[in-house]
Amino acid sequence: MSEEDAGPGEWPVVVVPVEPVEAAMEADAADAAVRHSALAVRGPLFGVATQGKGGGRRWRVVVEVTHGCPQQARDALNSRLWFQAKDEAKSPAERRALLEAVARLETEYVDEITVLGTRYRVVRAEEYAALDEHGGIETPRPTDPEPLTLDWSPGAGARSPRVDDGLVLDPDAPLSPLQAAERVALRPQAYSGTGFPAPVVADSARALESHPDVLLMPAAFLIVERTGDGPWSPGSGLQATAHDARRTLDFALTWMEPRTRGLIPHNADRTVDARGPAAGTTDAAAAELKEFAEAADRLRAGRCDETEAHGTVYRIARSRRLLRWGPDGPEGPRPSDTSTHAPAALHPRLDEYGTVHFDEPEGDDPA
């Protein structure tokens, strides 16, 4: 597409020559496109991005785009600014500016705010996954990032990268041929049909005009599960790598599920799990725990992306997210997007000198 061909608010797609590593990823993506030719939309996710002075059209994600409703993203921004005021402000004036923004976020549905020269916006992405002809959700690709050493130890997740950590949203970044083709193909995607409420469909149609272009975010990974012939349902939040999702599933199968099902008492020592049941476990419970342990062990025998226990199939799924983009940057929440709760004070009162007042009820103004 040339600059002259671009419609209002659109920009040319810059395609670059493919290097050897990128060539492997291109081949991987081409194979995946053949195997998984349909898309399933899960719904919107929300986060926060910032734009500073001199940043051009680039925005940077500061609250991961993984939250299920706009207010969760606003709350995360509230906490981010509160701790910035507490720990990083260099003067009372800086702290006042940050706390004024926090006060607004405690009482208003704020989708954009500028603080100390930085513009913050709640952004909206559409989460979707690729499906094969049998309705199977795409699993991780061979070229998706994995840690060099697969660490299964307790607490390893705390050392793992966070989803969207340091992610820069740059609509002018060059793309490979398949990335460019996918972005152009997804530009006209919108909700349609009687399965969606009329306001949702109307907002989606308006977004094609107000934010005509799209930016594709890096893949993320989650657990999905299915019992019998039922539908796939999400079993975890998004993770930065497929291994993080596998480790989360390993913990769920060996530690969480046994306690949820009463096979291990909730007050048992934290080290007790399906691989090491406590003394006195009944034979029936031991058999059930063994099945969970064997399902988890299969995850550790190579890069396994599917396992089964007690009639439930667990799969590591590859999640994709699409951000709509307009002349003023990434799309924010739509009028039809709903939140589960209202704005509220999340932290004790902090004064302009950095003193935290724990003895005052949250949200109360000092006399």
Side-chain angles (χ1 to χ4, degrees):
M1 175 186 285
S2 70
E3 186 124 19
E4 289 75 17
D5 294 330
E10 297 178 353
W11 58 86
V13 174
V14 181
V15 181
V16 296
V18 176
E19 300 296 332
V21 173
E22 293 170 333
M25 296 177 70
E26 283 282 282
D28 204 3
D31 290 344
V34 172
R35 295 193 306 270
H36 302 87
S37 56
L39 298 180
V41 177
R42 183 180 173 193
L45 294 173
F46 303 88
V48 178
T50 65
Q51 186 184 47
K53 294 178 181 178
R57 297 203 293 176
R58 293 187 298 274
W59 291 67
R60 183 170 62 90
V61 175
V62 294
V63 171
E64 61 273 18
V65 188
T66 61
H67 296 276
C69 75
Q71 190 55 45
Q72 290 175 344
R74 297 184 197 112
D75 288 348
L77 177 58
N78 179 331
S79 286
R80 179 184 178 87
L81 295 178
W82 190 91
F83 280 104
Q84 186 177 341
K86 175 178 173 290
D87 300 328
E88 301 175 24
K90 296 180 177 61
S91 68
E94 277 195 13
R95 192 170 286 112
R96 278 196 302 272
L98 291 162
L99 292 176
E100 286 171 5
V102 169
R104 284 194 60 195
L105 287 161
E106 290 176 345
T107 57
E108 303 175 29
Y109 294 91
V110 178
D111 289 330
E112 184 162 326
I113 193 168
T114 298
V115 188
L116 298 174
T118 298
R119 187 182 185 189
Y120 295 84
R121 177 180 294 177
V122 177
V123 298
R124 180 191 198 277
E126 205 73 64
E127 185 185 11
Y128 63 101
L131 304 178
D132 63 22
E133 60 181 339
H134 304 294
I137 298 176
E138 184 183 13
T139 55
R141 299 174 184 175
T143 50
D144 283 328
E146 297 270 16
L148 294 176
T149 302
L150 302 183
D151 188 350
W152 297 92
S153 63
R159 301 187 293 272
S160 297
R162 294 174 62 89
V163 176
D164 300 335
D165 187 26
L167 178 63
V168 174
L169 306 174
D170 184 0
D172 300 316
L175 304 171
S176 70
L178 274 177
Q179 289 172 333
E182 183 177 12
R183 196 168 91 177
V184 171
L186 289 174
R187 279 175 176 168
Q189 295 300 312
Y191 292 124
S192 62
T194 57
F196 299 100
V200 171
V201 173
D203 281 351
S204 185
R206 279 191 291 270
L208 296 182
E209 301 295 327
S210 62
H211 296 78
D213 230 309
V214 299
L215 187 147
L216 304 181
M217 302 181 70
F221 306 89
L222 75 156
I223 303 164
V224 295
E225 54 190 64
R226 179 172 68 180
T227 301
D229 295 327
W232 290 101
S233 60
S236 75
L238 295 184
Q239 306 285 338
T241 71
H243 179 66
D244 290 318
R246 294 187 199 104
R247 185 173 53 237
T248 299
L249 179 54
D250 180 273
F251 174 79
L253 292 172
T254 60
W255 200 95
M256 186 61 70
E257 277 292 324
R259 283 165 171 77
T260 301
R261 297 184 180 218
L263 302 173
I264 296 175
H266 282 282
N267 61 355
D269 187 273
R270 290 187 60 84
T271 60
V272 174
D273 63 13
R275 292 188 175 98
T281 301
T282 66
D283 290 344
E288 291 192 56
L289 291 171
K290 181 181 178 182
E291 186 167 344
F292 276 125
E294 290 174 346
D297 288 343
R298 286 192 288 273
L299 294 172
R300 299 193 179 199
R303 293 183 176 181
C304 175
D305 292 321
E306 186 169 296
T307 191
E308 183 175 355
H310 298 295
T312 297
V313 176
Y314 301 89
R315 176 177 290 186
I316 306 304
R318 189 178 198 270
S319 171
R320 300 152 79 178
R321 292 167 295 161
L322 175 153
L323 262 171
R324 297 211 69 89
W325 205 279
D328 192 39
E331 183 185 17
R334 299 173 183 174
S336 56
D337 292 326
T338 58
S339 288
T340 57
H341 59 285
L346 305 177
H347 302 283
R349 188 175 73 86
L350 176 68
D351 67 29
E352 63 184 31
Y353 301 105
T355 302
V356 180
H357 297 264
F358 292 102
D359 55 337
E360 296 178 10
E362 293 183 10
D364 282 7
D365 293 326

